[in-house]
Amino acid sequence: MLEVSDLHAFYGESHVLHGVNLEVRQGEVVTLLGRNGAGKTTTMRSIMGIVGKRTGAIRFQGQELIGMAPHRVPRLGIGYVPEERGIFASLNVDENLTLPPVVKDGGMTVQQIHELFPNLQGRGSTQGTRLSGGEQQMLAIARILRTGATMILLDEPTEGLAPVIIEQIGVAVRKLKQRGFTILLVEQNFRFAATIADRHYMMEEGHVVDMIPNNQLAANMEKLHTYLGV
Ligand SMILES: Nc1ncnc2c1ncn2[C@@H]1O[C@H](COP(=O)(O)OP(=O)(O)OP(=O)(O)O)[C@@H](O)[C@H]1O
Ligand SMILES: [Mg+2]
């Protein structure tokens, strides 16, 4: 579904990605793991076309994204939930859910969103800023699901959240996988990643240095600790 080959990315003069290779197949949940500054967010931003400059190839359902205008990427059905979440703080939950443009058929209805994230149900008139961190994260994911995207890029959805909320996000991601969504997930929390992902890519200094299938994660703990520096 998504194939990234020899991807280089630059912010001005600074060369941040040095030939990233990875693949996400239809229906998979795949994580990008790596230390701070490894280039995980930049990989996602490169897919969306919002870095300074990129070279290499990024094929989504056979279409090349490099050279494509950034506003066209979501219309192909790729949704990006950035680390900073991107919800509208001054709008309430319902407004946040009804505002996103539908870019493709098949976006989830508000009712389906409530089934996926029961915490958002009954909170329609609550202002964005008054939501807890977990609710804000759920709303950020929900907004993207409204658009009709079928491939979702999630940047550190569990960051700073309590274990019970992380668990709820995990349940939602598993449900999305069951519904056929394809998910690329940036995580620092590999314990969480291990509960939902099919495969894990390890990033170091702007490269993908390894790929570990989830069922081999336990056997590769030592390697993983080295990559993550934990
Ligand atoms: N807008 C920018 N301009 C210049 N350099 C940047 C910019 N954003 C990120 N970088 C640099 O690019 C490198 C990769 O950053 P990136 O944000 O992709 O890492 P990351 O793996 O997502 O890290 P983290 O776990 O901290 O989120 C870092 O060295 C960072 O300092
Ligand atoms: Mg990041």
Side-chain angles (χ1 to χ4, degrees):
M1 187 170 206
L2 179 80
E3 225 178 307
V4 173
S5 6
D6 194 28
L7 174 66
H8 291 250
F10 305 80
Y11 292 113
E13 294 294 294
S14 115
H15 187 172
V16 172
L17 298 185
H18 301 268
V20 170
N21 294 292
L22 63 89
E23 183 194 358
V24 186
R25 295 187 283 263
Q26 168 101 45
E28 273 193 314
V29 176
V30 169
T31 62
L32 275 180
L33 296 171
R35 294 181 207 201
N36 292 330
K40 306 178 298 293
T41 297
T42 305
T43 301
M44 290 196 159
R45 293 177 57 89
S46 299
I47 295 167
M48 300 311 292
I50 49 177
V51 292
K53 181 185 152 203
R54 49 196 180 144
T55 66
I58 304 173
R59 285 210 185 77
F60 179 69
Q61 294 176 325
Q63 279 198 67
E64 179 55 62
L65 305 190
I66 294 209
M68 188 179 281
H71 71 272
R72 288 187 53 208
V73 177
R75 294 187 199 163
L76 302 176
I78 308 181
Y80 174 43
V81 184
E83 205 171 347
E84 61 276 13
R85 294 173 183 148
I87 61 171
F88 292 97
S90 60
L91 300 182
N92 69 31
V93 169
D94 278 346
E95 288 163 341
N96 267 285
L97 287 178
T98 47
L99 199 69
V102 173
V103 293
K104 221 167 166 280
D105 291 342
M108 286 174 75
T109 63
V110 171
Q111 192 187 335
Q112 287 172 322
I113 295 290
H114 287 159
E115 286 163 14
L116 187 66
F117 294 120
N119 302 40
L120 295 180
Q121 199 159 4
R123 307 298 305 276
S125 55
T126 307
Q127 203 188 322
T129 44
R130 296 194 163 269
L131 298 174
S132 69
E135 290 165 340
Q136 287 184 21
Q137 184 62 55
M138 291 171 189
L139 182 58
I141 299 171
R143 289 187 68 236
I144 295 304
L145 295 171
R146 292 276 296 149
T147 65
T150 55
M151 166 144 209
I152 315 289
L153 312 182
L154 292 177
D155 197 346
E156 301 209 36
T158 66
E159 198 190 11
L161 302 183
V164 58
I165 308 294
I166 293 178
E167 172 83 34
Q168 289 168 6
I169 305 257
V171 168
V173 170
R174 277 191 290 273
K175 283 190 184 159
L176 291 175
K177 181 180 163 75
Q178 280 167 9
R179 280 173 173 264
F181 284 90
T182 305
I183 296 172
L184 180 61
L185 175 77
V186 164
E187 263 304 329
Q188 303 235 10
N189 181 348
F190 70 87
R191 288 177 215 288
F192 170 73
T195 65
I196 54 174
D198 298 300
R199 298 185 295 123
H200 310 274
Y201 284 105
M202 305 294 149
M203 283 198 81
E204 258 183 3
E205 298 177 358
H207 302 266
V208 167
V209 290
D210 208 346
M211 191 280 286
I212 305 179
N214 197 49
N215 60 14
Q216 291 171 31
L217 202 59
N220 282 282
M221 270 310 175
E222 209 165 309
K223 226 156 84 171
L224 194 72
H225 287 304
T226 315
Y227 291 136
L228 296 176
V230 291

